[in-house]
Amino acid sequence: MARIVQKYGGTSVGDVERIRKVAERIKAIRDEGNELVIVVSACAGVTNELIARAKAVCANPSEREMDQLLAIGEQETIALTAMALHGVGVDAISYTGAQAGIFTDKVHTKAKIKTINAKPIEKDLVAGKVVIVAGFQGINEEGQITTLGRGGSDLTAIALAAAVKADKCEIYTDVDGVYTADPRVVKDARKLQEISYDEMLELASSGSKVMQSRSVEFAAKYDVIFEVRSSFNYNPGTIVKKEIAYMEKVVVRGVAVDKDQAKVIISNIPDKPGSAAKVFRALADASIIVDMIVQNMGRGGIANLTFTVPLTDAAKVQRTLLPVLEGLGGGEVAIHENIAKLSVVGVGMKTHSGVAATLFQALADASINIELISTSEIKISVVIDKAKSDEAARVAHAAFELEKL
Ligand code: ADP
Ligand code: ASP
Ligand code: MG
């Protein structure tokens, strides 16, 4: 007997037929005598549809009300999944995030999990019930519903796996595992048997939406080994775990593209101590995540700052920075939304050179211009024209011969 946490993403529970299929799958594993905690997402498309409705009634909806709204997507699926299990004779109970004891901080729309009171769930498990938990949501200390950021059901699953000390954590999705690149974009992408937390984290935070990046961060911190696999077949998936020395033999393990980024250029700000601090303090206070910062010195005591932010925060950047620049005595903000970030990732970069040169040459050969560059120990990222980003992913994948991995 094992204690297993399974998460089924939006496509896996996309309609009632899929929910029935998932219930059969759960029943088979339950019948082997295992204890099961099941995390489900909203049906595919529902969260996007709710966001569109919010925008249709208000250009700038309040984040608290967004959380109230978005939480209903998952609430529908937990109840339907529990009912489908009852329909095949399995004792199951559904819980919202709050009912499951998932407590978060106060940051609406991207809350962090602070604690989980897993005792009630454990009691149900011992009593033989399959527990169904709504992904992506929790409750803060003021009793307000919060959500955990897009893709947040992954985080719910991994945090619950740690809280109930699960023997196994499985993330079921619509692809067979983690590939060397998005298999929808790069046709000869290869499924990886295993990948380190660090590589998975860099890929996830660089746009590989197969896992939410914060969930991978959490898994690394609490050493929750998990498997990404398909709910549409029984193929083995990809194991995500701590780095092992032999993993460094592969220089580049994957390519990611993030099309949901915007480039911000602040020009003509006074070049004096404290300018950058004031700009980035204001952005941080507005919970805006900034990446790829480049500063150029202009002439006559003037500087330009360029950086990237999530596309969804672009309007917030404008609103946040205008008063700051006024206070500094000058500067203009321009936002470019037609960009994408391409990243190549691999722990082997720590011990191999020439990765940047190979990437830049491959892009040059395809006439793709590089606008910004940033590097970390195991990643190189470039900002390029969004229209060319799929081609760039294929070119980079080929340059590192990832189809042979
Ligand atoms: P779910 O709804 O199950 O959470 P997502 O749509 O969030 O699923 O994530 C799965 C999708 O991630 C796949 O359909 C695939 O197109 C995309 N994807 C992007 N990069 C990768 C990658 N490197 N490996 C596998 N899938 C990837
Ligand atoms: N339903 C949420 C989303 O679409 C959470 C998730 O699917 O993980 O982002
Ligand atoms: Mg997802």
Side-chain angles (χ1 to χ4, degrees):
M1 185 196 85
R3 180 170 283 187
I4 307 172
V5 173
Q6 298 186 329
K7 175 251 169 177
Y8 291 91
T11 329
S12 300
V13 289
D15 53 34
V16 286
E17 190 45 44
R18 283 297 315 159
I19 291 176
R20 278 215 298 267
K21 285 251 154 57
V22 162
E24 278 164 22
R25 213 177 163 117
I26 294 170
K27 178 181 162 54
I29 300 164
R30 174 77 198 94
D31 288 349
E32 288 165 11
N34 300 302
E35 290 179 343
L36 282 168
V37 177
I38 308 294
V39 175
V40 286
S41 289
C43 299
V46 166
T47 307
N48 286 343
E49 172 64 30
L50 291 171
I51 293 172
R53 286 195 205 173
K55 296 242 162 88
V57 293
C58 176
N60 184 23
S62 121
E63 291 182 334
R64 179 192 180 275
E65 301 307 329
M66 275 316 270
D67 281 353
Q68 292 280 94
L69 179 70
L70 296 192
I72 66 175
E74 272 69 13
Q75 192 168 337
E76 176 189 5
T77 351
I78 50 168
L80 291 174
T81 307
M83 290 171 193
L85 282 165
H86 298 162
V88 292
V90 174
D91 191 6
I93 183 159
S94 73
Y95 290 128
T96 63
Q99 290 169 331
I102 298 174
F103 293 94
T104 73
D105 64 15
K106 288 189 205 158
V107 185
H108 282 294
T109 77
K110 38 190 158 189
K112 290 203 170 76
I113 295 180
K114 283 170 77 177
T115 55
I116 296 183
N117 174 13
K119 290 220 172 69
I121 291 182
E122 286 183 327
K123 222 166 134 192
D124 287 332
L125 292 177
V126 172
K129 286 188 207 308
V130 171
V131 178
I132 319 286
V133 180
F136 175 57
Q137 55 176 263
I139 190 163
N140 69 23
E141 61 194 29
E142 289 167 359
Q144 306 296 317
I145 295 175
T146 52
T147 62
L148 310 176
R150 295 305 305 267
S153 302
D154 295 334
L155 177 58
T156 306
I158 286 178
L160 276 172
V164 303
K165 301 189 181 59
D167 302 303
K168 245 189 196 180
C169 178
E170 298 173 327
I171 307 290
Y172 284 94
T173 182
D174 56 2
V175 280
D176 280 4
V178 180
Y179 280 69
T180 49
D182 186 342
R184 291 179 207 280
V185 175
V186 181
K187 290 292 166 234
D188 54 3
R190 296 289 298 264
K191 183 177 78 183
L192 298 162
Q193 268 180 19
E194 54 184 20
I195 184 169
S196 70
Y197 291 130
D198 288 349
E199 289 169 322
M200 187 70 250
L201 178 58
E202 292 284 17
L203 284 177
S205 60
S206 307
S208 288
K209 71 167 187 156
V210 63
M211 285 300 297
Q212 188 215 30
S213 61
R214 285 168 56 191
S215 71
V216 184
E217 225 167 3
F218 195 103
K221 191 165 167 196
Y222 294 96
D223 201 12
V224 178
I225 297 172
F226 63 95
E227 181 177 6
V228 179
R229 53 185 302 188
S230 172
S231 70
F232 292 79
N233 59 45
Y234 288 86
N235 298 340
T238 302
I239 305 287
V240 187
K241 62 182 189 187
K242 229 184 232 151
E243 182 184 332
I244 297 170
Y246 65 76
M247 289 179 172
E248 278 195 22
K249 285 200 190 116
V250 175
V251 184
V252 171
R253 196 162 327 258
V255 175
V257 173
D258 190 347
K259 295 180 187 176
D260 295 321
Q261 293 278 311
K263 184 173 76 172
V264 181
I265 303 176
I266 311 179
S267 41
N268 301 322
I269 48 171
D271 180 22
K272 58 184 182 201
S275 291
K278 288 204 174 84
V279 165
F280 292 109
R281 168 50 51 206
L283 295 170
D285 289 345
S287 300
I288 296 169
I289 294 165
V290 173
D291 192 21
M292 298 185 88
I293 304 169
V294 177
Q295 175 163 262
N296 317 96
M297 291 306 154
R299 286 207 193 122
I302 293 294
N304 299 326
L305 272 173
T306 307
F307 51 89
T308 56
V309 295
L311 195 51
T312 45
D313 283 339
K316 206 165 160 190
V317 168
Q318 284 273 17
R319 284 201 304 276
T320 307
L321 289 183
L322 291 179
V324 178
L325 296 180
E326 237 168 64
L328 284 174
E332 297 100 48
V333 185
I335 306 226
H336 298 246
E337 299 192 346
N338 56 344
I339 59 120
K341 189 162 77 179
L342 170 94
S343 305
V344 296
V345 170
V347 283
M349 280 185 210
K350 288 191 238 178
T351 46
H352 293 76
S353 61
V355 179
T358 303
L359 174 65
F360 299 164
Q361 190 59 55
L363 294 173
D365 292 346
S367 304
I368 297 170
N369 190 42
I370 299 173
E371 299 177 28
L372 292 172
I373 300 169
S374 78
T375 59
S376 77
E377 210 184 10
I378 66 164
K379 179 173 82 169
I380 299 173
S381 301
V382 293
V383 164
I384 53 174
D385 179 0
K386 191 183 280 187
K388 293 193 174 165
S389 58
D390 286 351
E391 187 194 348
R394 290 188 280 269
V395 160
H397 196 268
F400 294 103
E401 301 187 328
L402 297 184
E403 74 285 355
K404 293 187 186 155
L405 265 195

